[in-house]
């Protein structure tokens, strides 16, 4: 009876995460030694915000850099988060300082990371007030702002922003994931909460749960020497060490980002709520590409009593998860390693 109650609660939690809500980070199931101390903004972690803003002509807002190392080159409005700021507060400040506009984020477009020490949050943003920064307004933040038609020659600080602009145009034309905004919840580490799924050919769906102190979706702190989403691999290695290499583990994307700036130095971390897919790695196939052996009908057996598989029986929840996996309707997270 207790197991049924716990699993019902977990399914309710999964539903909340899929709808863009958050869950308090009360414990981490894997805390590697390299990640044990809580992260501290500007000392052990750096968060960067970046704005993709279009006008009615689909011209993109650009700012001309004032920094000596990239003087007079052009870039999207972007900058580092300051102590005590939320992600959205940092975004609004940077756009105001560099471009002169008041703004409102529409959705997160993409998350990029170079391990847990450097994470960039890219937003699709709309202007709500203010005025375009002119050369007469030049200061240490930027020299000026301008609308770029994306074809005229422009000296760019880096071409890394071009895919971000393309992603913004794509989302404006057809949103491929639900509106996703940061959730105001504290976390001491850079962590990944994991909905790890296994699906068979009959479209049955299992999700991996941690068992102690009660059944819950597992979470793990990121390792300094790996990508943020390596945390899911650490959980799988703990759960089934001998079968770990037999499966391909893919973090499909982010359902939500939890962070608060209200506790500087104490809760500077972020928790990425992620959807992860587990499939058999490199099944044998014939010359026509047909599978020689039938796909596994159940997830791999677990060797660690701290974990168990939960078969999702709520049909609406199962269909929701399967649809999100099929359509890749999830906020992307990309490693720049």
């Amino acid at each position: 009876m207790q197991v049924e109650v716990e699993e019902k609660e977990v399914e309710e939690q999964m539903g909340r995460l899929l709808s863009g809500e958050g869950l308090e980070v009360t414990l981490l199931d894997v805390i590697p030694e390299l990640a044990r101390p809580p992260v501290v903004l500007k000392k052990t972690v750096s968060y960067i915000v970046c704005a993709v803003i279009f006008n009615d002509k689909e011209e993109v807002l650009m700012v001309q850099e004032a920094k000596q190392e990239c003087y007079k080159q052009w870039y999207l409005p972007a900058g580092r988060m300051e102590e005590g700021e939320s992600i959205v507060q940092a975004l609004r400040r940077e756009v105001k300082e560099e471009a002169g506009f008041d703004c409102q984020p529409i959705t997160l477009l993409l998350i990029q990371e170079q391990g847990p020490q450097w994470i960039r949050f890219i937003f699709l943003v709309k202007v709500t007030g203010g005025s375009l920064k002119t050369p007469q307004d030049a200061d240490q933040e930027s020299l000026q702002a301008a609308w770029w038609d994306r074809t005229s020659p422009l000296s760019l600080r880096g071409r890394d922003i071009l895919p971000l602009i393309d992603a913004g145009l794509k989302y404006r034309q057809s949103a491929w994931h639900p509106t996703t905004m940061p959730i105001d919840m504290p976390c001491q580490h850079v962590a990944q909460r994991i909905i790890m799924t296994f699906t068979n050919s009959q479209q049955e769906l299992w999700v991996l749960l941690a068992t102690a102190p009660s059944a819950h979706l597992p979470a793990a702190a990121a390792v300094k020497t790996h990508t943020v989403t390596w945390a899911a691999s650490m959980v799988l290695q703990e759960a089934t060490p001998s079968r770990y290499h037999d499966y391909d583990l893919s973090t499909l994307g982010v359902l939500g980002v939890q962070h608060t700036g209200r506790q500087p130095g104490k809760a500077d971390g972020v928790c990425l709520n992620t959807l992860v897919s587990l499939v058999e790695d490199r099944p044998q196939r014939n010359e026509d590409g047909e599978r020689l052996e039938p796909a596994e009908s159940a997830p791999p057996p677990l060797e660690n009593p701290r974990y168990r598989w939960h078969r999702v029986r709520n049909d609406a929840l199962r269909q929701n998860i399967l649809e999100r996996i099929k359509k890749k309707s999830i906020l992307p997270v990309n490693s720049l390693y």
Side-chain angles (χ1 to χ4, degrees):
M1 185 67 172
Q2 181 62 28
V3 171
E4 292 180 3
V5 171
E6 289 181 355
E7 292 186 343
K8 182 179 179 181
E9 290 177 351
V10 169
E11 291 199 356
E12 290 175 353
Q13 291 174 358
M14 283 191 280
R16 288 169 57 188
L17 295 182
L18 287 161
S19 65
E21 298 179 43
L23 298 173
E24 185 179 357
V25 181
T26 57
L27 61 90
L28 295 174
D29 299 284
V30 182
I31 309 179
E33 292 297 325
L34 290 174
R36 190 169 295 278
V39 299
V40 178
L41 187 66
K42 302 180 78 172
K43 292 184 178 179
T44 60
V45 67
S46 178
Y47 301 134
I48 297 169
V49 292
C50 181
V52 181
I53 306 175
F54 298 99
N55 61 16
D56 293 339
K57 300 177 183 178
E58 290 198 338
E59 296 170 325
V60 63
L61 183 64
M62 301 288 285
V63 295
Q64 192 174 37
E65 297 282 8
K67 294 187 287 289
Q68 193 60 43
E69 62 269 22
C70 51
Y71 189 68
K72 288 192 174 182
Q73 294 179 325
W74 293 83
Y75 206 69
L76 292 172
R80 297 180 186 275
M81 186 186 302
E82 300 292 342
E83 292 177 332
E85 287 185 320
S86 71
I87 298 173
V88 170
Q89 286 171 338
L91 176 76
R92 288 174 171 156
R93 175 183 54 77
E94 288 291 347
V95 172
K96 184 67 173 179
E97 290 176 350
E98 295 193 343
F101 286 125
D102 301 314
C103 72
Q104 178 68 32
I106 298 170
T107 183
L108 276 162
L109 270 180
L110 177 68
I111 297 173
Q112 295 177 322
E113 52 96 352
Q114 290 180 333
Q117 293 97 335
W118 185 95
I119 302 176
R120 179 160 68 169
F121 301 98
I122 298 98
F123 287 84
L124 182 63
V125 178
K126 65 180 179 181
V127 170
T128 59
S131 58
L132 189 71
K133 190 171 186 177
T134 67
Q136 289 71 37
D137 304 316
D139 55 23
Q140 63 182 3
E141 301 298 335
S142 68
L143 301 179
Q144 62 175 313
W147 295 103
W148 182 40
D149 61 10
R150 297 176 284 117
T151 57
S152 301
L154 198 66
S155 176
L156 299 179
R157 170 182 146 191
R159 297 183 63 83
D160 60 308
I161 61 171
L162 297 179
L164 310 185
I165 296 170
D166 289 342
L169 287 168
K170 177 183 174 184
Y171 195 94
R172 278 164 58 94
Q173 293 163 2
S174 178
W176 73 90
H177 64 77
T179 298
T180 307
M181 295 294 292
I183 304 152
D184 185 9
M185 284 188 171
C187 184
Q188 291 189 327
H189 298 268
V190 175
Q192 183 185 4
R193 180 185 281 114
I194 306 150
I195 301 180
M196 187 180 299
T197 64
F198 179 90
T199 309
N200 64 14
S201 57
Q202 287 77 46
Q203 297 298 286
E204 295 173 310
L205 177 71
W206 286 263
V207 172
L208 184 69
L209 302 183
T211 59
S214 60
H216 61 275
L217 296 168
V223 183
K224 293 180 182 178
T225 54
H226 290 72
T227 67
V228 172
T229 55
W230 182 255
S233 298
M234 294 190 295
V235 168
L236 185 61
Q237 287 182 63
E238 275 206 348
T240 178
S242 69
R243 297 292 307 276
Y244 166 71
H245 293 292
D246 296 337
Y247 290 82
D248 179 29
L249 187 69
S250 174
T251 297
L252 302 174
V254 174
L255 300 168
V257 178
Q258 298 180 197
H259 170 269
T260 183
R262 292 177 288 106
Q263 302 176 40
K266 297 181 179 180
D268 290 340
V270 296
C271 178
L272 304 183
N273 299 320
T274 57
L275 186 59
V276 175
S277 174
L278 183 67
V279 296
E280 187 181 1
D281 190 25
R282 295 185 296 275
Q284 297 204 359
R285 301 181 183 275
N286 62 22
E287 294 178 354
D288 297 324
E290 298 171 334
R291 194 180 187 121
L292 294 177
E293 298 177 0
E296 294 194 28
S297 59
L302 302 177
E303 304 162 47
N304 188 331
R306 294 181 59 239
Y307 298 93
R308 76 167 183 258
W309 287 107
H310 165 63
R311 182 179 169 188
V312 177
R313 300 186 183 280
N314 181 307
D315 191 58
L317 177 63
R318 181 180 63 86
Q319 291 291 348
N320 187 352
I321 295 174
L322 292 175
E323 191 73 6
R324 297 288 288 272
I325 293 173
K326 179 181 177 182
K327 294 186 175 181
K328 297 182 179 179
S329 179
I330 314 166
L331 174 70
V333 54
N334 293 345
S335 172
L336 302 179
Y337 262 114

